[in-house]
Amino acid sequence: MRLFNCRKIKDRATGIKSAARAVTGGRLVVIPTDTVYGIGCDAFNHAAVKALLAAKGRGRDMAPPVLVGSKRALDGIASDVPDSAKELIEAFWPGPLTVVVPYTPTLTWDLGDTDGTVAVRMPLHPLAIELLKETGPMAVSSANKTGQPPAETAADAKAQLGSDVSVYLEAGPSEDNLPSTIVDCVAHPPQLLREGALTLEQIRKIVPDTLDRDGYGPGQRPEDQEPDEAPEADEADASETAEATDEAPAEERPA
């Protein structure tokens, strides 16, 4: 288990090489991203993915997302990418957007119970991109135990994950300690699964019909609806009331 201070040029180069070897060897690493620090491994190594889930204290029902080092890399793992995903990727990659898309059926990976889909992101962090270009797609989840706060530094992650991780790459505190925003682009229309660094409003500027987490489209939430106007009184009834009032003795008329 080693921690490399990648803010130093020499340690950065050595750290990336060490992390790449660890990933290739089926071990776990902690890396910085443009959102929170992540714990990652080779996405195609079944034992490594299982170890990642165990380190976090998660089951197969919480499959980790996959990080890629370029937009082009998506073509190698996803098939029939929906237009909504393409539009969002064009607007927000690299960056804090994770899209859920169908994965290529011939892939020999096992990320967990994903029902034929994969959550994919291209991070906007030079160190992460450099490592991903060495390793290929990595299964990466936030570098913390489930239920604990996200790690703001590699040292924070080490305090939680310890010897479960072989290599820690330290790049200083996260600039934005918010997770990525997740949009399910397999759904029709697409649906926000988690609002993180990108807001629903920002997503809807690109794909206007995106549903919110509760399944409501734009303007469909109950609080967005205008109250019904009170029905107008029937003219005949109003006239009869007026006549009755005029004919009533003064002491019986309403005040």
Short mmCIF file of all heavy atoms in Angstrom, two decimals, residues 43-46 66 68 73-79 101-111 114 116-118 120 137:
data_model
loop_
_atom_site.label_atom_id
_atom_site.label_comp_id
_atom_site.label_asym_id
_atom_site.label_seq_id
_atom_site.Cartn_x
_atom_site.Cartn_y
_atom_site.Cartn_z
N ALA A 43 -12.24 -2.60 -15.16
CA ALA A 43 -13.67 -2.89 -15.29
C ALA A 43 -13.94 -4.31 -15.78
O ALA A 43 -15.04 -4.83 -15.59
CB ALA A 43 -14.33 -1.89 -16.24
N PHE A 44 -12.93 -4.95 -16.40
CA PHE A 44 -13.13 -6.28 -16.98
C PHE A 44 -12.60 -7.40 -16.09
O PHE A 44 -12.66 -8.57 -16.47
CB PHE A 44 -12.48 -6.35 -18.36
CG PHE A 44 -13.11 -5.39 -19.34
CD1 PHE A 44 -12.58 -4.13 -19.55
CD2 PHE A 44 -14.25 -5.76 -20.05
CE1 PHE A 44 -13.16 -3.24 -20.44
CE2 PHE A 44 -14.84 -4.89 -20.94
CZ PHE A 44 -14.29 -3.62 -21.14
N ASN A 45 -12.06 -7.04 -14.93
CA ASN A 45 -11.54 -8.04 -14.01
C ASN A 45 -12.61 -8.34 -12.96
O ASN A 45 -12.86 -7.54 -12.06
CB ASN A 45 -10.25 -7.53 -13.35
CG ASN A 45 -9.56 -8.58 -12.51
OD1 ASN A 45 -10.19 -9.24 -11.69
ND2 ASN A 45 -8.25 -8.73 -12.70
N HIS A 46 -13.24 -9.52 -13.06
CA HIS A 46 -14.35 -9.86 -12.18
C HIS A 46 -13.96 -9.83 -10.71
O HIS A 46 -14.69 -9.31 -9.86
CB HIS A 46 -14.90 -11.24 -12.54
CG HIS A 46 -15.45 -11.33 -13.92
ND1 HIS A 46 -16.14 -12.43 -14.38
CD2 HIS A 46 -15.43 -10.45 -14.96
CE1 HIS A 46 -16.50 -12.24 -15.64
NE2 HIS A 46 -16.07 -11.04 -16.01
N VAL A 66 -18.53 3.25 -14.71
CA VAL A 66 -17.29 3.04 -15.45
C VAL A 66 -16.77 4.40 -15.94
O VAL A 66 -17.54 5.19 -16.51
CB VAL A 66 -17.51 2.09 -16.64
CG1 VAL A 66 -16.28 2.07 -17.55
CG2 VAL A 66 -17.83 0.69 -16.14
N VAL A 68 -14.15 6.47 -18.44
CA VAL A 68 -13.40 6.31 -19.69
C VAL A 68 -12.52 7.53 -19.90
O VAL A 68 -12.80 8.61 -19.38
CB VAL A 68 -14.35 6.12 -20.90
CG1 VAL A 68 -15.10 4.79 -20.79
CG2 VAL A 68 -15.35 7.27 -21.01
N ALA A 73 -13.97 6.27 -26.44
CA ALA A 73 -13.92 5.00 -25.70
C ALA A 73 -15.32 4.47 -25.40
O ALA A 73 -15.50 3.26 -25.20
CB ALA A 73 -13.15 5.18 -24.39
N LEU A 74 -16.31 5.35 -25.41
CA LEU A 74 -17.68 4.91 -25.16
C LEU A 74 -18.14 3.92 -26.23
O LEU A 74 -18.91 2.99 -25.93
CB LEU A 74 -18.63 6.11 -25.11
CG LEU A 74 -20.11 5.81 -24.87
CD1 LEU A 74 -20.32 5.22 -23.49
CD2 LEU A 74 -20.95 7.07 -25.04
N ASP A 75 -17.68 4.11 -27.46
CA ASP A 75 -18.10 3.24 -28.55
C ASP A 75 -17.71 1.79 -28.32
O ASP A 75 -18.35 0.88 -28.84
CB ASP A 75 -17.49 3.73 -29.88
CG ASP A 75 -17.97 5.12 -30.26
OD1 ASP A 75 -19.08 5.48 -29.84
OD2 ASP A 75 -17.24 5.84 -30.97
N GLY A 76 -16.66 1.57 -27.52
CA GLY A 76 -16.19 0.21 -27.29
C GLY A 76 -16.97 -0.54 -26.22
O GLY A 76 -16.85 -1.76 -26.12
N ILE A 77 -17.77 0.18 -25.43
CA ILE A 77 -18.48 -0.49 -24.34
C ILE A 77 -20.00 -0.33 -24.41
O ILE A 77 -20.72 -1.05 -23.72
CB ILE A 77 -17.98 -0.01 -22.96
CG1 ILE A 77 -18.23 1.48 -22.79
CG2 ILE A 77 -16.51 -0.35 -22.78
CD1 ILE A 77 -17.84 2.00 -21.41
N ALA A 78 -20.48 0.61 -25.21
CA ALA A 78 -21.92 0.87 -25.27
C ALA A 78 -22.45 0.63 -26.68
O ALA A 78 -21.76 0.86 -27.67
CB ALA A 78 -22.22 2.29 -24.83
N SER A 79 -23.69 0.16 -26.75
CA SER A 79 -24.33 -0.07 -28.04
C SER A 79 -25.66 0.65 -28.08
O SER A 79 -26.31 0.85 -27.04
CB SER A 79 -24.56 -1.57 -28.26
OG SER A 79 -25.41 -2.10 -27.25
N VAL A 101 -26.49 3.95 -20.13
CA VAL A 101 -26.75 3.54 -21.51
C VAL A 101 -26.67 2.02 -21.60
O VAL A 101 -26.14 1.36 -20.70
CB VAL A 101 -25.72 4.17 -22.47
CG1 VAL A 101 -25.87 5.69 -22.51
CG2 VAL A 101 -24.29 3.79 -22.08
N PRO A 102 -27.18 1.42 -22.69
CA PRO A 102 -27.03 -0.03 -22.86
C PRO A 102 -25.58 -0.38 -23.15
O PRO A 102 -24.89 0.33 -23.88
CB PRO A 102 -27.91 -0.33 -24.08
CG PRO A 102 -28.76 0.88 -24.29
CD PRO A 102 -27.97 2.03 -23.78
N TYR A 103 -25.07 -1.46 -22.56
CA TYR A 103 -23.70 -1.86 -22.88
C TYR A 103 -23.71 -2.96 -23.94
O TYR A 103 -24.70 -3.66 -24.14
CB TYR A 103 -22.89 -2.26 -21.65
CG TYR A 103 -23.29 -3.53 -20.94
CD1 TYR A 103 -23.04 -4.79 -21.49
CD2 TYR A 103 -23.86 -3.49 -19.67
CE1 TYR A 103 -23.37 -5.96 -20.82
CE2 TYR A 103 -24.19 -4.64 -18.98
CZ TYR A 103 -23.94 -5.88 -19.57
OH TYR A 103 -24.27 -7.03 -18.90
N THR A 104 -22.58 -3.07 -24.63
CA THR A 104 -22.45 -4.06 -25.69
C THR A 104 -22.58 -5.47 -25.12
O THR A 104 -21.82 -5.84 -24.21
CB THR A 104 -21.08 -3.89 -26.39
OG1 THR A 104 -20.97 -2.55 -26.87
CG2 THR A 104 -20.96 -4.86 -27.55
N PRO A 105 -23.53 -6.27 -25.61
CA PRO A 105 -23.81 -7.58 -25.02
C PRO A 105 -22.63 -8.54 -25.03
O PRO A 105 -22.56 -9.46 -24.21
CB PRO A 105 -24.95 -8.13 -25.90
CG PRO A 105 -25.58 -6.92 -26.50
CD PRO A 105 -24.47 -5.95 -26.71
N THR A 106 -21.67 -8.33 -25.94
CA THR A 106 -20.55 -9.27 -26.05
C THR A 106 -19.44 -9.02 -25.03
O THR A 106 -18.49 -9.80 -24.95
CB THR A 106 -19.94 -9.19 -27.46
OG1 THR A 106 -19.57 -7.84 -27.75
CG2 THR A 106 -20.95 -9.68 -28.51
N LEU A 107 -19.55 -7.95 -24.24
CA LEU A 107 -18.50 -7.66 -23.27
C LEU A 107 -18.45 -8.72 -22.18
O LEU A 107 -19.49 -9.21 -21.72
CB LEU A 107 -18.75 -6.29 -22.62
CG LEU A 107 -18.59 -5.07 -23.53
CD1 LEU A 107 -18.86 -3.79 -22.74
CD2 LEU A 107 -17.21 -5.02 -24.15
N THR A 108 -17.24 -9.05 -21.75
CA THR A 108 -17.06 -10.12 -20.76
C THR A 108 -16.82 -9.56 -19.36
O THR A 108 -15.98 -10.05 -18.63
CB THR A 108 -15.87 -11.02 -21.16
OG1 THR A 108 -14.69 -10.21 -21.25
CG2 THR A 108 -16.13 -11.70 -22.48
N TRP A 109 -17.55 -8.52 -19.00
CA TRP A 109 -17.38 -7.98 -17.67
C TRP A 109 -18.54 -8.37 -16.78
O TRP A 109 -19.56 -8.88 -17.25
CB TRP A 109 -17.18 -6.47 -17.68
CG TRP A 109 -18.33 -5.64 -18.21
CD1 TRP A 109 -19.62 -6.04 -18.42
CD2 TRP A 109 -18.27 -4.27 -18.59
NE1 TRP A 109 -20.37 -5.00 -18.89
CE2 TRP A 109 -19.56 -3.89 -19.01
CE3 TRP A 109 -17.26 -3.30 -18.60
CZ2 TRP A 109 -19.87 -2.60 -19.45
CZ3 TRP A 109 -17.58 -2.03 -19.05
CH2 TRP A 109 -18.86 -1.69 -19.47
N ASP A 110 -18.40 -8.12 -15.48
CA ASP A 110 -19.46 -8.39 -14.52
C ASP A 110 -19.39 -7.31 -13.45
O ASP A 110 -18.68 -7.44 -12.46
CB ASP A 110 -19.31 -9.78 -13.89
CG ASP A 110 -20.43 -10.10 -12.92
OD1 ASP A 110 -21.42 -9.34 -12.88
OD2 ASP A 110 -20.32 -11.10 -12.18
N LEU A 111 -20.15 -6.24 -13.67
CA LEU A 111 -20.14 -5.11 -12.75
C LEU A 111 -21.15 -5.27 -11.62
O LEU A 111 -21.15 -4.48 -10.67
CB LEU A 111 -20.43 -3.81 -13.51
CG LEU A 111 -19.44 -3.45 -14.62
CD1 LEU A 111 -19.96 -2.26 -15.41
CD2 LEU A 111 -18.07 -3.15 -14.04
N THR A 114 -26.87 -5.13 -13.37
CA THR A 114 -27.07 -3.89 -14.13
C THR A 114 -28.17 -3.98 -15.18
O THR A 114 -28.50 -2.99 -15.82
CB THR A 114 -25.76 -3.51 -14.86
OG1 THR A 114 -25.45 -4.54 -15.83
CG2 THR A 114 -24.61 -3.38 -13.88
N GLY A 116 -28.19 -5.14 -18.13
CA GLY A 116 -27.76 -4.79 -19.49
C GLY A 116 -27.39 -3.34 -19.70
O GLY A 116 -27.22 -2.90 -20.85
N THR A 117 -27.25 -2.58 -18.62
CA THR A 117 -26.89 -1.17 -18.76
C THR A 117 -25.59 -0.89 -18.02
O THR A 117 -25.14 -1.67 -17.19
CB THR A 117 -27.99 -0.25 -18.20
OG1 THR A 117 -28.10 -0.44 -16.78
CG2 THR A 117 -29.34 -0.53 -18.85
N VAL A 118 -25.00 0.26 -18.33
CA VAL A 118 -23.79 0.69 -17.64
C VAL A 118 -23.85 2.20 -17.46
O VAL A 118 -24.33 2.93 -18.33
CB VAL A 118 -22.52 0.29 -18.43
CG1 VAL A 118 -22.49 0.93 -19.81
CG2 VAL A 118 -21.26 0.66 -17.65
N VAL A 120 -21.75 5.50 -17.30
CA VAL A 120 -20.43 5.87 -17.85
C VAL A 120 -20.18 7.37 -17.68
O VAL A 120 -21.08 8.18 -17.82
CB VAL A 120 -20.33 5.51 -19.34
CG1 VAL A 120 -18.88 5.62 -19.80
CG2 VAL A 120 -20.88 4.14 -19.63
N PRO A 137 -10.98 1.41 -19.75
CA PRO A 137 -12.11 1.67 -18.85
C PRO A 137 -11.91 1.07 -17.46
O PRO A 137 -11.47 -0.06 -17.31
CB PRO A 137 -13.29 0.99 -19.57
CG PRO A 137 -12.89 0.99 -21.01
CD PRO A 137 -11.41 0.77 -21.02
#
